[in-house]
Amino acid sequence: MLLNLRTLILSFVFVSGTLAQAVPSPDEFLGYPLGTRFTLHYKIVQYVEALAKARPDMMKVEYYGKTNEGRQLLVTYISSPENISALESIRQNNLRLALQSKDKMAASDNTPAIVWMSYNVHGNEASSSEAVMKTLFALLDPANSTTKQWLKNTVVIIDPCINPDGRDRYVNWYHQVASSTPDPRPSAREHAEPWPGGRTNHYNFDLNRDWAWQSQVETQQRLKLYNRWLPQIHVDFHEQGYNEPYYFAPAAEPYHEVITPWQREFQVKIGRNHARYFDANGWLYFTKERFDLLYPSYGDTYPTYNGAIGMTYEQGGIRAGLAIINEDGDTLTLKDRLEHHYTTGLSTIEVASANAQQLIKEYRKYFADAVANGSGEYKTYIIRPDPAKPDVQEGLKKFLDNNGIIYEYASPTKPLKAYNYISGKEETISTEVNDMLISSYQPRSALAKVLFEPRSRITDTATYDITAWSIPYAWGLQAYASRERISGSGFEAPVVIADNRVEGKKPIGYVIPWTSFAGAKLLSNLLQRDVKVRYAEQPFAVDGKNFEKGSLIILRTSNMKFGDTLENVVVKCISETGFKTGIAKVYTGFVDKGHDFGSPKVRSISKPRVAMLTGDGVSGNAAGQIWHYFEQDLRFPLSLVNQDGAGRMKWSDFDVVILPDGMYRFIQDKPGQEALKNWIMQGGKLIALENAAEQLSTLDWGFKMKKAEEGKDDDKQLYERLKRFENAERDYLPSTIPGAVYKIELDNSHPLAFGYGDHFFVLKRDDTIYEYLKSGWNVGVIRKENYVSGFAGSKTKEKMKDGLMFGALNMGSGTVVVMATDPIFRSFWESGKLLFANAVFMVD
């Protein structure tokens, strides 16, 4: 018996020693000390897999997707063996706590807290994915008994790299240009990353602005998984400029008003714990500054509006490489940076474990309160569908489903008071059959309020990002906000598509309504199949059916090469693009009203050859969203041309050239100006956005930027010069507009505004507008009192009136389309996508 006991003890020691050796440290696995070089994404994935193989009882890996460039996206689950074996049960119970489980089982409070930590959303903020390897090892290392204690009541979910494409773009570049010994001087080339940089994903999108909108494939895949878990804590690891120290919670004002006292208090609790470690090590940090909790599509706000304690941690380090000398004369190394992230990561888990029961209790209360009381003054958001735009309604349903927001359909009601988003006034309305109802009394109440409220209450105007984003404005919806709770009892009525068929006759063609972006996607597909398409400049009626201007017309006479297969081709294009509005068959070209199909007022649409200038000087985000728009939304060919090559560019190779927001050097020299102007005069079409348009306005081309009215200095203006130094960071606010919504008036008889009503909501991020065109078309104009929502400084508001926002200027045989703001901003301003398509296809 004694021998058997001794053998058992020796066996336990042997197994324990083997287990300890089986968990490789980052240094052992990588073959170099962590922090001495940057690690490519595939190697990080391999290390994660090696850890999971070494401790399958404590760690699981889930692959949730791939990036545009084919890199693996994954998360890891780390906890005690008992929790890992019950992982699915823990997840399902957590959804019950959040009142979002499909089963009717009771939720248990005796459950681990869930902490989700996301790393490297910005690819060139590269220290965090290095830190994640040290963090994982600390959680699994058999010698670390402290972390094992935390994991008894905590499940940690780690996404080691949200943006692998951007990270590898940065890391590969750095490996190519860095000296064998890191050069810490800021002027060294290893600190000067080339355009577009590694911050963004493949399409140059900032993934930390995309959580709610889910326009990018990385976000779409990640949010499906995130919403299956809904953790109690979420941390987003970042870097800021290398001269900054470290930022952690609590966040800066403004906080959105839906953020609860508990969420605020727990941020302070976590911040104090971080401070304890940083103080002990003599590391500098700051809190409550710069990084606010307002814009809903961040990695801290989106989780916060979904019941979590959402936080951003920011380490100084952008441009730092492996080592850099900061403005204090200190050398900041990659080892320093990853150590700081490692410390706050473990500190977060420590606080979660110490407060797990309270986290679960408050989390449960958060969702119970949401369902019982609703959030905010408006209790029901009413969306009235446009029968001519079923694809918009389908898109909205998908958006709501992706965000877990519940909606119902209305039955007719008695008159009630509601805020009309379009008029900006409270009116008396009645709900109608097919109205979509979004109630505030639901688990995602806070998120619904934040996304749909007409105006956000801003407690501090010094914000980090845009201050307005309401979905009815961004999507161009007829919507109302009511203070009454309206129960949904109706069902969505199916869309009925009439067929005005004449028995025994073949149609001479087909008419496609031009009412939404779905029509533009269908047109793109048709043109690429070489189908000849026309459009009507004026409304018309034929065969007893009315059609609006912009309607697409496909005639057999123009498409004889397809013979009897034309209808099959059209139907196939409709199927591939998901076009839901339906098409009308027409049996005569002799219209009842308007212009006959052979009239010059029925114009042909040629398949344009489109190019966009990119490269150094161009906004990567602006160019990226247009690139994404063409490839993923419109699905139409787009040539990307570096602006450095504009001087050698053969302009005649293209029919349409797009200049995204940016500064263009070739416009500043006379030969470049002349080449561009000659191309336009000969029939080219130039689409110039934001600063590109502003540059062109300095030329003698017929449009000029509107300047603020100037007058003599009165006493008030003189006294305004007497400023206090302590207010230096706020003195600029009266002249700023970080992102506010304005309502502009449209001339919808012009092709640039085909498919729209008499207005359009824009998101404006600067005060640039243009004087009304004297010899062009003022298609979208802003008049007095057209401000709608978001922060705009007092001086900005004074300037933002009586000017041009969108216009078309004819030059010779060509056209310049002027856009003072980006109509497809971050790919979530859905209502602007048709306008951009009009600029590409319709405007002559």
Side-chain angles (χ1 to χ4, degrees), residues 388-410:
K389 303 177 181 180
D391 60 290
V392 174
Q393 191 76 351
E394 287 298 310
L396 180 62
K397 289 193 292 184
K398 182 180 178 183
F399 172 79
L400 295 172
D401 290 341
N402 288 345
N403 284 292
I405 295 173
I406 299 168
Y407 53 90
E408 301 173 293
Y409 292 95

Side-chain angles (χ1 to χ4, degrees), residues 113 232-233 262 266 352 355-363:
Q232 280 78 47
I233 293 177
W262 158 255
F266 204 82
N355 296 273
Q357 286 187 329
Q358 188 70 11
L359 274 168
I360 297 300
K361 176 185 174 183
E362 293 291 342
Y363 180 83

Side-chain angles (χ1 to χ4, degrees), residues 22 107 129 135 223 270 307 320 345 354 537 642 693 696 736 767 783:
S129 285
T135 304
L223 264 292
I270 286 180
E537 278 192 351
N642 282 327
L696 294 175
T736 63
D767 63 358
R783 297 183 189 265

Side-chain angles (χ1 to χ4, degrees), residues 71 84 115 138 223 229 253 294 314 341 350 353 389 484 515 556 571 611 613 618 622 662 698 729 750 774 786 794:
R71 293 182 176 86
I84 290 296
V115 178
L223 264 292
W229 279 93
E253 291 286 354
L294 185 67
E314 297 267 356
H341 271 332
E350 178 184 27
S353 176
K389 303 177 181 180
E484 295 186 28
T515 56
R556 288 190 178 278
V571 169
L613 295 196
V618 179
T698 63
E729 292 187 0
H750 190 278
K774 295 179 180 178
N786 275 16
S794 55

Side-chain angles (χ1 to χ4, degrees), residues 149-168:
Q149 193 65 32
W150 299 340
L151 293 176
K152 288 181 179 179
N153 64 352
T154 309
V155 172
V156 180
I157 305 175
I158 287 179
D159 190 327
C161 187
I162 287 178
N163 181 12
D165 291 351
R167 177 182 174 83
D168 275 5

Side-chain angles (χ1 to χ4, degrees), residues 37 84 191 236 289 346 358 399 436 467 480 509 524 601-602 608 627 680 693 729 816:
R37 62 178 289 130
I84 290 296
H191 304 299
D236 202 17
E289 295 181 65
L346 290 188
Q358 188 70 11
F399 172 79
M436 177 185 281
T467 56
Y480 305 90
S524 167
K601 297 290 186 181
V602 177
W627 181 21
I680 297 170
E729 292 187 0
V816 178

